Amino acid sequence: MPASDPLSQIFGALADPTRRDILARLSLGQASVGELAEPHEMSLAAVSKHIKVLENAGLIGRKKDAQFSYCTLVASPLKDLQGWLDAYRKFWDDNLDQFETYLAELQRGDPDSKQ
């Protein structure tokens, strides 16, 4: 993935279901690359590429212990994502409130409602 802003890297990392599965597994605690690869029908090298994308996005940390590499979830970048999404949540909440009001007016037969 080319260098870009952090939010784009996070969205890019989350775009793949394998990477989302890896993050879900890491939410339970640290895991080795081998443990992360187990549920997926792919090579360790392929899983390592997914881990590298997550690592570049700042979503996981990796440490070596002898011959094993362990990954942990780094949740702080998800706060940036949540902040971005919150602005759109307000937009949708406001629109849904307006739609709910409109439906209530239609049910009452309000002549001032737009049809």
Side-chain angles (χ1 to χ4, degrees), residues 89-102:
R89 177 178 295 132
K90 180 173 175 12
F91 169 79
W92 283 110
D93 286 347
D94 290 349
N95 279 301
L96 289 173
D97 288 344
Q98 291 173 8
F99 185 63
E100 184 178 16
T101 301
Y102 174 71

Side-chain angles (χ1 to χ4, degrees), residues 16-27:
D16 186 275
T18 300
R19 292 193 285 266
R20 292 192 304 269
D21 285 348
I22 290 170
L23 289 179
R25 167 54 187 87
L26 292 175
S27 72

Side-chain angles (χ1 to χ4, degrees), residues 4 10 27 39 81 93 99 105:
S4 60
I10 292 168
S27 72
L81 181 65
D93 286 347
F99 185 63
E105 290 169 354

Side-chain angles (χ1 to χ4, degrees), residues 49-78:
K49 287 181 182 181
H50 285 293
I51 289 170
K52 189 68 175 169
V53 171
L54 292 166
E55 195 173 20
N56 288 341
L59 293 168
I60 66 168
R62 195 175 352 185
K63 66 178 182 175
K64 287 221 175 228
D65 181 23
Q67 63 193 27
F68 297 102
S69 183
Y70 291 94
C71 300
T72 55
L73 177 66
V74 178
S76 55
L78 296 174

